[in-house]
Amino acid sequence: MNPSPPVIDVTGLTKVFGHKTVVDHLDMQVGRGEIYGFLGPNGSGKTTFIRMLCGLLRPDDGQGTCLGFDVRTQAELIKPHVGYMSQKFSLYDDMTVRENLDFISRMYGVANRSAAIDRTIGRMNLGRFRDQLAGTLSGGWKQRLALSACMIHEPQLLLLDEPTAGVDPMARRDFWDEVHKLAGEGITALISTHYMDEAERCHRLAYIAYGHLLATGTVAQVVAAEGLVTYEIAGPQLYGLIDRLRGLPGVEQVVAFGITLHVSGREADVLAHSLAPYAAPPLTLRQIPSNLEEVFISLMRKAVT
Amino acid sequence: MARIVTFSLIRFAAMVSKEFTQMRRDRVTFGMMVGIPLLQLILFGYAINSDPKNLPTAILDNDRSVFSRDMAMAMQNSSYFKFTQAIGTEAEADELLRLGRIQFVVTFPVNFGRDLARGDRPVVLLEADATDPSATSNAVSAIRQAATDAFTRDLTGPLIALRPANGPVELRLHARYNPEAVTQYNIVPGLMGVVLTMTLVIITSLAITRERERGTMENLLITPVRPVEVLLGKMLPYIVVGYIQMGLIIIAAMTLFKVPVIGSLPLLFLVSFPFIAANLGVGITFSTIAQNQLQAVQMSFFFFLPSILLSGFMFPFQGMPEWAQWIGSVLPLTHYLRVVRGIVLKGNTFVDIAPHMWPIGLFLFASLGLGIKRYRQTLD
Ligand SMILES: Nc1ncnc2c1ncn2[C@@H]1O[C@H](COP(=O)(O)OP(=O)(O)O)[C@@H](O)[C@H]1O
Ligand SMILES: [Mg+2]
């Protein structure tokens, strides 16, 4: 059997606001059932890119399809099958949880509306808040409501823009369990996030900075591609050491990590040479695998310089 | 092109019920919508005085003597009256007054000149459309002055004895439609149009701007809803509001100000529909242009000011300079005022007011069309 065509397949997607190119010729292919992480510093164009995929913004250049429909001309056909959760809560504050869900499900023409709403409310544990105004919900519950709203019409593609920002770890875990369950049913998800642990729960990810795609692939591929070498230094009075280490040749990042320091650089030999003096007691030095955060920071630094 | 052009009743109904829900929650705005009409009614209950000029007048000259022509000339020179037509019968005069084409009819009796020469003080009849008393209040003194001016010149030499102490002619003013010249009779029905214009334009101008400002537009645009469904869905609830306001003003007009309603109220409600919708169309259009709610309110005032000043609400329309009348003719309020006053004060029928309906209809389609054209389905 042929692999099913990609759910998102765009090339050269570009958006210009005024004189500023916010998304600069971005390509992306996401397959069915995939959970695709979308990372990058604030203002790098994630939201803008997601909005172009679902017809909320018109691309200035580039083409491609989303769910098989042209992103430039067939937004009307894409919209019914997409569940989009905006970065900022955009349901009606002055309507109750139930009223909001009812409005959204009418907009999508959901069959058996009442049952669908009850099911969603039940699954998301929103029962207690059913008749509470959405504006009075706390952050985490608002996220849950927004997530319910974007799934009530059983979309094939979820576009979630920082869905877990400001949500407690427990709720985040529930959320990710839910996403994985949906992926198992063949639903595709593109999720932007700033959390590294969430990035690691994605099948694949893309890292963008200032509108440019800097890395794509599985977590392991992204880490390997950057070729970053990281050492861990442990011992007493490490804080005094940070500034001194930062000036050394080959050292690109020094990060305090609990009671240790992580020192990374791309030139393995130079770095090893610079750090050799810090292997003596009371300090200990050992090489460790680079983590995603170090890789992303390294990517971002490169993008700036 | 695989573009589905459909109108979904389900989505339209969802928009309408959402708007009603939000309206119900927004107590302050709802209070304003009810409060503003009543407040304005009380504020404008006071007379608005003005000094109109060149009011259109028809002349019915049964004498055709040098004396009647002299007096007509003097009236014209007073710049208060402007003769727009000479007519032959009383029936013609009635018709012109009823349709609001003219403000006055001046009638010179047969043998006006002979009686004047005999010193018999002939009767000059001035019939006035008094629906707007500010237009007629100065008419009597203006015409008396004109008579004196005309005949003190003619009655010289041997005729000087014919200058009676109490004026050469007897003036009879016949105020039609609002015989007691009660200003409120004119203001209150007019106020209905003013209130509808003000509140409906402002409220709908906020309709889409608010969604944009609160960020809820993003969620609305991502759904399959179509522009027409959004715009009409947002208008319908305010049509209901407009009718509630109308009802309030009519009740107040009849109870507080004892305005006699001569024409048909059902007709009034029926023909108000395009006017209400035209104002909503303006508001919706502003709403698609304004960047934020403040701008939306400013635009509404930009529309409201000429409406109130140039429509014939504040000053008699016929007395305004020509350029002002041109602007006024575009505004739906101008035509609606004639409709309301015509129905309430003159008992106009649909046929009588029909000429004022098409400019309102035209404005409605233009404003609504512009709104739909301006409505953006994207965030950029
Ligand atoms: N409507 C807009 N008009 C002008 N600039 C915008 C608009 N939307 C976003 N931007 C700019 O585009 C850049 C990218 O924004 P965004 O896509 O929100 O980034 P991210 O979601 O990655 O934080 C930012 O610099 C932002 O200021
Ligand atoms: Mg963003």
Side-chain angles (χ1 to χ4, degrees):
Chain A
M1 200 182 95
N2 285 332
S4 52
V7 171
I8 297 172
D9 187 2
V10 292
T11 51
L13 224 53
T14 300
K15 185 75 199 175
V16 182
F17 285 124
H19 295 294
K20 199 163 147 202
T21 306
V22 169
V23 174
D24 195 358
H25 294 92
L26 220 69
D27 303 344
M28 186 179 283
Q29 277 76 38
V30 180
R32 197 172 114 87
E34 207 169 6
I35 301 176
Y36 201 87
F38 200 23
L39 290 100
N42 286 327
S44 57
K46 301 184 294 295
T47 299
T48 306
F49 181 78
I50 293 175
R51 283 174 172 171
M52 282 193 285
L53 287 181
C54 56
L56 281 179
L57 286 175
R58 233 184 296 276
D60 292 312
D61 194 16
Q63 63 277 308
T65 59
C66 187
L67 295 161
F69 300 114
D70 192 307
V71 291
R72 299 181 74 117
T73 58
Q74 296 180 307
E76 284 92 343
L77 298 172
I78 297 175
K79 285 176 180 178
H81 308 292
V82 169
Y84 170 69
M85 180 173 165
S86 54
Q87 183 171 351
K88 183 176 165 292
F89 183 73
S90 60
L91 291 169
Y92 296 99
D93 279 345
D94 50 357
M95 301 211 298
T96 65
V97 167
R98 217 205 125 80
E99 285 165 350
N100 267 301
L101 291 175
D102 188 59
F103 175 69
I104 295 293
S105 45
R106 286 161 88 170
M107 283 288 144
Y108 286 100
V110 172
N112 293 324
R113 210 162 65 224
S114 192
I117 294 170
D118 288 341
R119 211 164 42 239
T120 306
I121 286 180
R123 193 174 60 190
M124 297 300 241
N125 279 321
L126 281 164
R128 275 186 292 154
F129 305 112
R130 168 187 197 101
D131 294 314
Q132 190 172 324
L133 294 183
T136 64
L137 294 175
S138 69
W141 288 105
K142 270 191 185 170
Q143 302 291 85
R144 253 177 212 237
L145 171 58
L147 192 64
S148 321
C150 81
M151 294 197 306
I152 199 155
H153 58 295
E154 300 179 353
Q156 289 158 34
L157 171 64
L158 291 173
L159 299 174
L160 311 177
D161 198 358
E162 300 195 23
T164 56
V167 173
D168 66 62
M170 188 67 186
R172 275 171 52 196
R173 173 159 303 176
D174 289 349
F175 165 82
W176 278 93
D177 287 347
E178 187 75 25
V179 170
H180 274 275
K181 207 164 79 198
L182 291 168
E185 297 165 15
I187 290 168
T188 311
L190 174 65
I191 305 176
S192 79
T193 178
H194 287 297
Y195 296 107
M196 293 306 137
D197 59 319
E198 293 189 349
E200 282 167 359
R201 296 192 68 171
C202 295
H203 298 139
R204 280 199 304 148
L205 43 91
Y207 186 84
I208 69 168
Y210 314 106
H212 296 277
L213 194 60
L214 299 183
T216 51
T218 62
V219 174
Q221 285 168 343
V222 169
V223 171
E226 184 61 3
L228 199 67
V229 178
T230 301
Y231 288 90
E232 179 191 77
I233 301 177
Q237 273 141 31
L238 290 172
Y239 292 117
L241 225 54
I242 295 179
D243 283 336
R244 231 181 318 148
L245 289 170
R246 281 195 175 139
L248 295 176
V251 172
E252 291 173 21
Q253 295 177 42
V254 182
V255 187
F257 227 90
I259 54 162
T260 66
L261 292 180
H262 286 192
V263 185
S264 324
R266 270 167 298 163
E267 295 165 84
D269 298 343
V270 186
L271 185 64
H273 187 259
S274 293
L275 293 183
Y278 300 93
L283 301 176
T284 58
L285 181 73
R286 70 185 178 105
Q287 192 177 349
I288 55 165
S290 301
N291 67 26
L292 256 186
E293 184 172 302
E294 286 147 2
V295 168
F296 287 155
I297 287 172
S298 171
L299 283 167
M300 203 171 102
R301 292 251 172 93
K302 265 197 307 192
V304 177
T305 51
Chain B
M1 204 170 85
R3 194 190 164 96
I4 325 166
V5 182
T6 48
F7 181 86
S8 154
L9 264 181
I10 297 180
R11 291 195 297 254
F12 171 67
M15 277 305 296
V16 171
S17 87
K18 165 187 110 53
E19 291 295 322
F20 270 123
T21 304
Q22 294 188 298
M23 197 193 290
R24 195 159 39 99
R25 299 263 154 73
D26 191 355
R27 294 269 158 77
V28 178
T29 305
F30 195 76
M32 295 258 289
M33 290 188 292
V34 176
I36 286 178
L38 296 177
L39 185 71
Q40 286 203 326
L41 204 58
I42 290 160
L43 289 181
F44 282 108
Y46 299 103
I48 296 166
N49 266 321
S50 57
D51 184 18
K53 294 235 182 303
N54 294 326
L55 298 172
T57 307
I59 182 165
L60 178 54
D61 188 351
N62 295 317
D63 189 43
R64 297 170 190 280
S65 66
V66 62
F67 295 101
S68 62
R69 273 197 299 275
D70 271 359
M71 176 149 168
M73 184 68 75
M75 282 174 70
Q76 180 108 301
N77 288 344
S78 75
S79 80
Y80 191 87
F81 302 95
K82 181 175 157 206
F83 290 109
T84 54
Q85 48 217 319
I87 51 174
T89 64
E90 191 62 30
E92 257 183 279
D94 279 351
E95 178 74 0
L96 287 170
L97 276 175
R98 195 167 59 86
L99 296 178
R101 300 262 162 76
I102 51 171
Q103 191 76 43
F104 300 105
V105 179
V106 60
T107 308
F108 294 105
V110 187
N111 298 332
F112 173 77
R114 196 197 65 194
D115 291 352
L116 186 80
R118 285 184 188 168
D120 281 353
R121 301 192 73 232
V123 174
V124 174
L125 176 66
L126 184 69
E127 287 172 285
D129 176 352
T131 44
D132 185 350
S134 70
T136 45
S137 55
N138 295 323
V140 175
S141 58
I143 199 171
R144 177 163 293 131
Q145 187 61 45
T148 313
D149 289 352
F151 302 126
T152 42
R153 205 176 54 233
D154 287 350
L155 303 176
T156 48
L159 296 176
I160 203 151
L162 293 176
R163 288 186 187 171
N166 49 357
V169 298
E170 181 180 343
L171 287 171
R172 205 165 286 161
L173 176 73
H174 187 177
R176 307 277 295 267
Y177 305 121
N178 182 5
E180 291 88 32
V182 182
T183 312
Q184 278 85 348
Y185 285 5
N186 182 55
I187 293 278
V188 171
L191 202 54
M192 188 144 79
V194 171
V195 166
L196 290 174
T197 300
M198 183 162 129
T199 48
L200 295 180
V201 171
I202 289 189
I203 285 181
T204 43
S205 76
L206 295 176
I208 291 167
T209 326
R210 189 183 318 134
E211 298 246 12
R212 267 185 206 285
E213 218 167 78
R214 290 189 185 166
T216 51
M217 200 64 193
E218 192 165 8
N219 216 316
L220 194 58
L221 288 178
I222 192 65
T223 70
V225 76
R226 319 237 155 242
V228 179
E229 293 157 5
V230 174
L231 297 182
L232 294 184
K234 279 181 175 290
M235 281 172 69
L236 184 69
Y238 295 107
I239 290 180
V240 175
V241 169
Y243 274 119
I244 293 175
Q245 292 182 327
M246 266 186 77
L248 277 175
I249 294 175
I250 289 175
I251 291 171
M254 291 166 74
T255 55
L256 293 180
F257 296 101
K258 309 275 188 283
V259 175
V261 177
I262 297 169
S264 151
L265 278 183
L267 175 66
L268 182 60
F269 274 86
L270 183 73
V271 298
S272 295
F273 185 85
F275 174 71
I276 291 175
N279 282 310
L280 297 178
V282 175
I284 287 281
T285 302
F286 286 166
S287 177
T288 59
I289 299 170
Q291 298 293 318
N292 54 50
Q293 297 194 45
L294 181 63
Q295 279 184 14
V297 172
Q298 286 170 335
M299 285 185 190
S300 304
F301 270 95
F302 189 75
F303 177 75
F304 180 62
L305 277 181
S307 288
I308 199 170
L309 293 175
L310 304 182
S311 62
F313 174 71
M314 283 283 220
F315 317 110
F317 190 80
Q318 316 273 33
M320 297 192 311
E322 200 169 333
W323 62 266
Q325 293 197 13
W326 267 99
I327 300 175
S329 307
V330 177
L331 302 168
L333 181 59
T334 307
H335 304 279
Y336 185 66
L337 287 182
R338 295 172 189 169
V339 169
V340 178
R341 287 170 179 168
I343 293 177
V344 172
L345 302 174
K346 300 183 187 176
N348 276 182
T349 61
F350 184 75
V351 179
D352 297 328
I353 56 164
H356 306 306
M357 293 309 294
W358 69 262
I360 299 179
L362 201 64
F363 191 94
L364 163 64
F365 283 110
S367 64
L368 205 57
L370 194 63
I372 292 173
K373 198 169 136 46
R374 287 268 335 171
Y375 179 83
R376 290 270 152 271
Q377 267 189 295
T378 57
L379 290 170
D380 41 2

